[in-house]
Amino acid sequence: MTTLKAGDKAPNFSGTDQDGKTHKLADYAGKKLVVFFYPKASTPGCTAEACDLRDNFHRFQANNYGLLGVSADSAKAQIKFKDKYELPFPLIADEDKSVINAFGVWGPKKFMGREYDGIHRTTFVINEKGIIEEVIEKVKTKEHASQILK
């Protein structure tokens, strides 16, 4: 699981969003970047998290932050999620899990006594120079923005 920690250089990722646009770490140079990984679009926890970030989006913009959501959902699922909840930030459709694996958030999970592999809800706050400032593993879905913008 997540081996990246504060002080590490962020992975030089490249992922495609819901509209087919490519996003790379280099695109956000000179800006802070929040990369939040979520298990599945349109599920209750993921919706609460994305909507909290949406509702505080102006605060992120005011503080020079870019936001990127990432899950292994298809572009079609990401479009539905983004449109339904009017999310103002791109959602990476990481079906091949290249970004997910680069950040080390894929691994064993437990749900209702069953073990399986999946995405661990984790957020990375990356500074203007591409260095990870913070890794949030205990995400509070309904108040995630305040965890990031302390």
Side-chain angles (χ1 to χ4, degrees), residues 80-146:
K80 278 170 78 172
F81 189 39
K82 186 174 171 46
D83 289 351
K84 182 174 183 179
Y85 296 102
E86 299 176 11
L87 304 175
F89 40 79
L91 302 175
I92 302 293
D94 194 24
E95 290 184 274
D96 68 358
K97 301 181 190 70
S98 61
V99 180
I100 292 163
N101 287 324
F103 280 86
V105 296
W106 183 264
K109 296 174 76 164
K110 253 192 181 135
F111 183 68
M112 294 174 70
R114 210 185 87 200
E115 266 201 47
Y116 61 97
D117 282 343
I119 297 171
H120 288 252
R121 186 185 310 278
T122 311
T123 297
F124 295 84
V125 181
I126 301 166
N127 73 14
E128 298 87 344
K129 293 182 173 81
I131 304 298
I132 297 170
E133 279 187 348
E134 187 178 10
V135 179
I136 303 169
E137 294 182 57
K138 290 181 174 31
V139 172
K140 295 177 182 163
T141 57
K142 291 185 169 93
E143 51 199 68
H144 196 35
S146 61

Side-chain angles (χ1 to χ4, degrees), residues 47-56 141-146:
T47 299
E49 178 182 10
C51 289
D52 179 59
L53 295 173
R54 174 201 66 202
D55 295 346
N56 288 281
T141 57
K142 291 185 169 93
E143 51 199 68
H144 196 35
S146 61

Side-chain angles (χ1 to χ4, degrees), residues 35-46:
V35 182
F36 68 99
F37 292 88
Y38 58 95
K40 192 154 179 51
S42 299
T43 55
C46 299

